[in-house]
């Protein structure tokens, strides 16, 4: 009787605790007040920027119900504030907004006047800093918490069951667009259900998300072996498991209890009560055996994958210092994925060959770049991409999935970009209507971040040499990703420029010192970036824009309007509502990038600082390179030129092609 009452009280207590758990969701789980040697003061511009971000960031996160994630910047250099927030995937929009707003408030109290703060709650977390961490995928400032109670079931069986559940949930999160997964697993009578969730910030690629989660999963046994629950929260990814429902929505996965094995053992007498240990042991052994089988399969897959990594130390230009280690995909797999390279799956074709859309057996869409058999064109470019792209990991660079060098085929496999290349959108009279100013500014900023990464922030210092609108691809959310590193060149960290006798690239995007003298540097890419910015703002193509009868080109047209204070007259009419200051800043940045002298052009880090500032202080640009002076003022001529630039141009539909121009 007493035992029954005690059991009832315990059950009631657990129900009350579970009911009250959401009410305590505003409690701070952990805080990290980084001491970087500089604090801000009351009523300073830094504090004003924090106040602004507390509104804009919460609005951004809550306005994206499928992602509940946002990044933002505010303030001017050197008081720019960078911020990131993520809400748990099952949190509703209003709760997410409230949690983020509360995080800003708490952060300024518990870490008073610190410029770099990370704060965790159960429904959300926040970091703001005076350092630009937004392009990094570092999962720093981890919060690790283990449930103090041990499980009543055999620890080994329980740990194995948790491992199976977490791996399933991680797989779901990695392959979902929201990068969020939940699951429940049936276990035994003493612990009937195990619940788990896993999440990454949605801007991570599937590979980066998996790598992040795998890293913190490797620490599971160290911290949580035999424990009823545990969690690791990091800035980029997290997971948690418990014996109670830790998320409000229905689980996305349901794993049944593994089938028990045939083991039979005698019953055991404990305190006058006979317990059939055969039942417990059969369940435990069933789970353990299933776990061992899963582990064996996992080890075989990893061993096979490592065995099939292609090591390419012979590749040109960097044999002694660089080599690429890439996943190898079977030709048979790629033939199935592309329906044997069916014509209807062809995305485009260039001088090297064709690109095909495909779908791998587990659902990932890919773009397969297939070099023409018997053609020597593109071999150097293939080697370059194998070496360089395999070592570059950034959300604004196209991800290389793998390589196939089988049966005389030379295939590069990339992630598929459903919105194709930037030029197929901004120069199309119909599709360009879908790109309002907010989307265009996000594209400009994304390209700038990706370019800063390859120039300054990655382990390698790389010059792209063929940056153009057709080599910028757009994902499902119109986020830009730089592609085609076939013509790229690797620099030493202290190297500033180089000279080549083989000028390759695309006229209209080439810097003057490169086109005429073969000199290239990071400032060559900056010139190409400036051309793209001006194209995005105006919706007009620079390459091929020259009109011989009236001597008009895009740079001259923009320069004339800018010097006369009439810049807004030449912006794309499909921009919709836009910030005049922001548009004028982008045009100003574009003109700074296309100046004649490389020394006068800004670096990409300086450009990103300008784009992240509300009221930047900018120098006056000099006249653009390749600017043709004789511009007719005749309005009819100008209208004809405008119409000509809005016609659908013949563009390459191949999202990963390159153009190679060699002097005769």
């Amino acid at each position: 009787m007493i035992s029954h009452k005690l059991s009832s009280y315990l059950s009631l207590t657990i129900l009350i605790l579970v009911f009250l758990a959401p009410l305590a969701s505003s409690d701070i789980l952990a805080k990290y007040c980084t001491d970087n040697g500089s604090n801000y003061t009351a009523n300073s511009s830094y504090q004003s920027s924090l106040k602004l971000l507390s509104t804009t960031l919460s609005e951004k996160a809550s306005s994206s119900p499928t992602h509940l994630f946002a990044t933002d910047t505010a303030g001017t250099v050197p008081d720019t504030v960078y911020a990131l927030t993520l809400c748990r995937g099952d949190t509703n929009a209003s709760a997410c907004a409230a949690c983020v707003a509360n995080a800003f408030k708490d952060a300024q109290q518990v870490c008073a006047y610190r410029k770099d703060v990370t704060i965790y709650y159960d429904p959300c977390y926040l970091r703001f800093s005076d350092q630009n961490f937004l392009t990094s995928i570092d999962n720093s400032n981890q919060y690790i918490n283990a449930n103090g109670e041990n499980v009543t079931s055999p620890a080994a069986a329980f740990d194995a069951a948790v491992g199976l559940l977490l791996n399933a949930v991680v797989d779901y999160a990695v392959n979902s667009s929201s990068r969020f997964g939940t699951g429940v697993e049936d276990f035994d009578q003493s612990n009937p259900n195990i619940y788990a969730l896993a999440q990454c910030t949605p801007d991570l690629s599937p590979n980066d998300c998996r790598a992040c989660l795998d890293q913190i999963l490797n620490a599971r046994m160290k911290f949580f072996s035999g424990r009823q629950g545990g969690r690791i929260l990091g800035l980029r990814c997290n997971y948690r498991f418990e014996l109670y429902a830790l998320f409000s929505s229905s689980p996305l996965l349901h794993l049944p209890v593994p089938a028990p094995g045939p083991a039979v053992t005698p019953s055991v007498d404990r305190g006058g009560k006979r317990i059939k240990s055969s039942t417990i042991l059969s369940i435990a052994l069933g789970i353990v055996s299933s776990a061992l089988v899963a582990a064996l399969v996992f080890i075989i897959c990893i061993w096979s994958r490592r065995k099939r990594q292609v090591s390419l130390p012979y590749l040109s230009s960097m044999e002694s210092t660089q080599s690429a280690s890439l996943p190898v995909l079977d030709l048979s797999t790629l033939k199935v994925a592309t329906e044997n390279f069916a014509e209807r799956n062809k995305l485009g074709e260039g001088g090297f060959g064709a690109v095909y859309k495909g779908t791998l057996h587990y659902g990932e869409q890919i773009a397969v770049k297939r070099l023409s058999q018997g053609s020597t064109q593109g071999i150097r470019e293939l080697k370059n991409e194998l070496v360089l792209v395999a070592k570059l990991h950034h959300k604004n660079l196209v991800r290389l999935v793998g390589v196939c060098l089988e049966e005389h085929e030379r295939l590069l496999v990339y992630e598929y970009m459903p919105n194709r290349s930037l030029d197929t959108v901004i120069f199309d009279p119909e599709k360009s209507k879908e790109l309002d100013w907010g989307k265009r500014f996000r594209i400009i900023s994304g390209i700038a971040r990706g370019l800063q990464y390859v120039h300054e922030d990655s382990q390698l210092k790389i010059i792209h040499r063929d940056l153009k609108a057709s080599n910028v691809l757009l994902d499902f959310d119109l986020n830009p990703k730089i592609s085609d590193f076939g013509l790229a060149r690797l620099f030493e960290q202290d190297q500033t420029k180089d000279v080549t006798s083989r000028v390759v690239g695309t006229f209209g995007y080439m810097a003057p010192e490169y086109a005429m003298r073969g000199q290239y540097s990071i400032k060559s890419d900056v010139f190409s970036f400036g051309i793209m910015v001006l194209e995005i703002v105006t919706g007009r193509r620079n390459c091929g824009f020259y009109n011989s009868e009236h001597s008009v080109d895009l740079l001259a047209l923009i320069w004339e309007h800018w010097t006369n204070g009439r810049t807004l007259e030449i912006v794309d009419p499909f921009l919709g509502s836009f910030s005049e200051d922001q548009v004028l800043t982008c045009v100003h940045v574009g003109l700074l990038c296309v100046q004649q002298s490389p020394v006068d052009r800004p670096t990409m880090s300086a450009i990103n600082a300008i784009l992240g500032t509300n009221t930047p202080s900018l120098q006056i640009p000099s006249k653009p390179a390749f600017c043709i002076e004789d511009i007719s003022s005749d309005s009819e001529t100008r209208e004809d030129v405008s119409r000509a630039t809005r016609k659908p141009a013949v563009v390459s539909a191949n999202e990963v092609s390159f153009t190679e121009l060699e002097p005769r």
Side-chain angles (χ1 to χ4, degrees), residues 552-564:
V552 176
D553 76 334
L554 179 60
L555 293 185
L557 188 64
I558 293 173
W559 178 251
E560 184 202 30
H561 280 74
W562 188 82
T563 53
N564 292 332

Side-chain angles (χ1 to χ4, degrees), residues 349-384:
E349 191 160 7
F352 62 87
V355 176
Y356 297 85
K357 179 183 176 182
T359 304
L360 296 174
H361 65 279
Y362 53 85
E364 182 179 3
Q365 292 186 312
I366 54 174
V368 182
K369 182 176 180 178
R370 186 187 195 190
L371 268 69
S372 301
Q373 293 188 21
S375 171
T376 58
Q377 184 179 15
I379 296 297
R380 290 185 298 268
E381 290 73 19
L382 171 71
K383 293 177 180 180
N384 254 357

